[in-house]
Amino acid sequence: MILPNSIIGVFGSGQLGRMFAIEARKMGYRVHTFSPDTDTPTGQVADYETCADYEDLDAVKKFASAVDVVTFEFENVPSQTVEIAAQFVAVHPPGDVLHTTQNRLREKNFLRRNNFPHADFRPIKTLTDLENAIAEIGAPAILKTAGFGYDGKGQAKIKSADEAARAFANLNGQEAVLETFVEFEKEVSVVAARDAHGNFAHYGVIENEHVNHILDVSFAPALVSEKTFREAVEITRAVVETFNYVGTLCVEFFVTKDQKLLINELAPRPHNSGHLTFDACISSQFEQQLRAVCGLPLGSTEFFKPCAMANLLGDAWQNGEPNWAQALRFPEVKLHLYGKAEPRPGRKMGHLTALADSAAQAAEIIRQARESLKQ
Ligand code: AMP
């Protein structure tokens, strides 16, 4: 068991690490973050910050020998970096889970191999692969690069076979996956945690709305049937069991028009849709990650009230500093900012949450509060 006052190492230094570090420090742990950047969202609240490339293996060794356990807030850390760290200290989640989830093709093969529901897909290495794949799975379809994609980056919708050559050229030689375009009714996620003894905790089903492929608003509980709720939770439980997972993980789903669940993506870490647990639950997704990687019992995932969250992207700074005071006039609204200096369009700068008597009401309040930032 890793007790308070120990040092938790975190690969990555973004907002997920920041909220993790806040929870860890609340419980008397110290936090050491490792990333190539300086003055980072995590570094600003961590006790120690190493600024080095993930490929700098000497720096990785030094970091791993200075901490009591290692976890992640960013899954695209090279496998070799994780392997080296694991020679010095326990790493959760383990390297093989990262290896699977940091590449869409490996992740989809994992889903297929284990009979988890997913949209049909084909691996794409050549233009012929792409032409054959379009003929087999049909159009529209989505072409996604296999590596390093998030928030819709590296994705292109293919509406007909004549678009194949152009879409293939845009890949610039990167390996890709073609998947069926899903006419979904809604998108939902399940954020869950599993400890080393196999205990499982989840936050139920969260409903997510995206704008330009980026998460915009989440609310919980999701407006889904009891059957969909049960299935989503059971699939998530099976995923973490299959991985023998320790930590917090999120499964993103499409709910199709005929109420079937398809897994879109797995995130082996706390997730943007789970940010609302920070304000709305007895133990947040970040606290669960901490408890799991330290070998402590998981906390309660109970919600104080239904909740909604709205992301604040850099676009909100277009006409200068947002009017924080206006949003904070809503007494049930909480403001989270990640300490990022430069508000670039599409960059996640912070979020707002609101608790209310129903998820629909919380979602309404959060939209109004975000709108009022423009005043
Ligand atoms: P991803 O980066 O794969 O999570 O994709 C980001 C968003 O793009 C998803 O949350 C969906 O809104 C949309 N999207 C991705 N894949 C598909 C698909 N196969 N069919 C329909 N929409 C998709």
Side-chain angles (χ1 to χ4, degrees):
M1 208 181 297
I2 293 162
L3 295 174
N5 222 18
S6 306
I7 306 177
I8 317 291
V10 179
F11 277 126
S13 59
Q15 60 269 17
L16 299 168
R18 181 186 182 90
M19 289 180 266
F20 174 85
I22 290 170
E23 293 288 37
R25 294 192 68 163
K26 266 194 339 205
M27 283 173 62
Y29 286 90
R30 289 184 278 164
V31 177
H32 186 158
T33 165
F34 186 114
S35 86
D37 306 312
T38 49
D39 187 28
T40 58
T42 310
Q44 289 164 10
V45 297
D47 299 79
Y48 315 100
E49 182 170 25
T50 296
C51 172
D53 286 335
Y54 294 116
E55 289 79 13
D56 180 348
L57 299 183
D58 286 333
V60 172
K61 283 181 196 164
K62 208 162 145 214
F63 165 74
S65 8
V67 301
D68 297 297
V69 64
V70 166
T71 188
F72 301 84
E73 71 98 51
F74 167 75
E75 69 264 41
N76 286 322
V77 177
S79 308
Q80 207 196 354
T81 306
V82 182
E83 279 162 29
I84 299 280
Q87 288 170 9
F88 293 84
V89 68
V91 178
H92 298 298
D96 59 333
V97 174
L98 290 179
H99 185 70
T100 302
T101 52
Q102 63 190 203
N103 177 285
R104 286 188 197 275
L105 189 54
R106 285 198 290 267
E107 183 172 291
K108 287 184 185 297
N109 282 328
F110 164 84
L111 298 177
R112 178 145 69 188
R113 209 167 48 243
N114 292 288
N115 289 322
F116 290 119
H118 58 275
D120 198 10
F121 70 95
R122 295 288 183 280
I124 306 297
K125 285 201 174 117
T126 64
L127 178 57
T128 313
D129 288 344
L130 181 57
E131 285 163 353
N132 290 342
I134 296 171
E136 282 169 35
I137 70 174
I142 296 205
L143 186 64
K144 301 181 176 180
T145 52
F148 292 94
Y150 65 98
D151 289 345
K153 292 192 173 69
Q155 293 192 15
K157 188 168 175 185
I158 298 187
K159 296 191 203 78
S160 70
D162 0 316
E163 293 174 16
R166 183 137 173 243
F168 184 77
N170 285 339
L171 290 174
N172 287 321
Q174 295 176 87
E175 194 184 13
V177 178
L178 186 78
E179 70 181 52
T180 309
F181 183 80
V182 180
E183 298 285 353
F184 55 81
E185 185 188 280
K186 56 177 68 179
E187 293 184 88
V188 299
S189 54
V190 176
V191 175
R194 182 174 180 274
D195 69 16
H197 307 290
N199 296 307
F200 175 75
H202 65 85
Y203 296 91
V205 182
I206 301 171
E207 187 158 332
N208 303 318
E209 296 172 10
H210 293 77
V211 172
N212 297 330
H213 300 277
I214 303 177
L215 184 63
D216 184 48
V217 167
S218 291
F219 59 85
L223 302 172
V224 293
S225 68
E226 231 171 89
K227 180 169 169 285
T228 302
F229 180 100
R230 262 200 320 274
E231 279 175 14
V233 170
E234 285 319 310
I235 291 169
T236 305
R237 187 197 303 269
V239 168
V240 294
E241 281 301 317
T242 308
F243 277 143
N244 199 16
Y245 197 81
V246 175
T248 295
L249 176 140
C250 176
V251 183
E252 294 176 33
F253 295 95
F254 299 122
V255 184
T256 64
K257 300 223 156 92
D258 51 354
Q259 303 305 302
K260 284 209 192 77
L261 284 164
L262 298 174
I263 296 181
N264 172 29
E265 230 177 4
L266 308 175
R269 50 168 170 76
H271 187 259
N272 195 166
S273 63
H275 287 3
L276 50 77
T277 65
F278 207 25
D279 294 316
C281 298
I282 292 179
S283 298
S284 71
Q285 61 169 353
F286 308 101
E287 183 179 330
Q288 300 286 45
Q289 171 93 349
L290 175 75
R291 287 170 175 246
V293 304
C294 290
L296 294 169
L298 297 176
S300 165
T301 55
E302 195 182 318
F303 279 72
F304 301 123
K305 274 186 162 196
C307 187
M309 184 247 19
N311 270 335
L312 300 174
L313 302 183
D315 313 59
W317 275 252
Q318 225 166 30
N319 300 316
E321 189 73 13
N323 192 341
W324 304 121
Q326 283 297 331
L328 294 175
R329 279 179 42 234
F330 294 78
E332 55 285 269
V333 165
K334 298 257 214 181
L335 170 65
H336 296 254
L337 289 172
Y338 308 146
K340 297 181 184 177
E342 211 191 318
R344 290 192 294 271
R347 189 175 198 206
K348 290 175 180 168
M349 302 296 290
H351 66 268
L352 297 170
T353 53
L355 272 65
D357 292 333
S358 72
Q361 198 187 349
E364 175 62 29
I365 294 169
I366 211 63
R367 287 181 201 286
Q368 280 179 23
R370 187 171 59 179
E371 209 37 47
S372 74
L373 292 173
K374 296 179 185 159
Q375 289 169 12

